Each structure stands twice: as C-alpha cells, then as structure tokens.
Amino acid sequence: MANDINRLKIVLTEKKVKSKWLAEQIGKDPATVSKWCTNTSQPSLECLWQIAELLHVDIKDLLNSNCVDEPEYVYLRVASSQLKQDV
C-alpha cells in the first residue's frame, strides 16, 4: 500500500458512488478512472480538483500523505500555470 498515491477508490466507497458515474461526470473513459482507483495511473491535478468538488470533499482527502510524522499534511508541487486565478 506504500505505492498507493490516491485514495479515490476509498472515497468513492465512502460516498457510495460508482467509478462509472464519476467517469461520466468528468468526461473520462471508465477504464481511466479504474486505473486511478487501482493506482495504476494518477489523475491530473485539474481532475483531482474536479473530483473533490463533485464528491464534496477536500482534495487532501483524495491523496495519501507521503509524510509519516505528520499524516494530516499533503504536499503538492504545482506549476504556476496549473493554478486557478479567480480574478
């Protein structure tokens, strides 16, 4: 489980939502969402934001922390071009 980066499958189960529904909502192929759920591949930061909004969760709830001493923190490196600007 150390290689699991996202918690998408867990959050979908907690919210009682199917991955097929999520795929339809965000316009992705169900196979792509399935790969995210199995941690075979990872969604983009933009997709994570969309998923968090759809499921009404904090984006941090979708990610496993890589910091053992402080599990409540999740560190993301984001290019400035990926940031939303509400101006």
Side-chain angles (χ1 to χ4, degrees):
M1 188 121 152
N3 293 333
D4 290 352
I5 296 172
N6 75 63
R7 299 180 65 247
L8 185 55
K9 184 176 182 176
I10 295 166
V11 174
L12 288 174
T13 301
E14 289 171 350
K15 294 290 187 170
K16 296 178 175 62
V17 174
K18 302 272 186 197
S19 60
K20 183 178 178 180
W21 173 86
L22 180 62
E24 291 170 358
Q25 296 301 307
I26 62 174
K28 297 289 181 182
D29 188 285
T32 300
V33 176
S34 177
K35 288 178 184 178
W36 297 343
C37 289
T38 59
N39 276 283
T40 305
S41 68
Q42 300 303 321
S44 68
L45 186 57
E46 182 180 323
C47 283
L48 282 174
W49 281 112
Q50 267 187 298
I51 294 166
E53 288 178 4
L54 279 169
L55 298 177
H56 305 288
V57 297
D58 191 301
I59 193 168
K60 292 183 288 186
D61 295 336
L62 298 173
L63 300 169
N64 278 325
S65 173
N66 62 353
C67 184
V68 175
D69 295 331
E70 301 176 89
E72 68 273 9
Y73 295 105
V74 175
Y75 300 95
L76 298 173
R77 180 177 294 185
V78 180
S80 59
S81 62
Q82 290 181 302
L83 295 175
K84 275 188 188 176
Q85 292 187 2
D86 296 327
V87 179

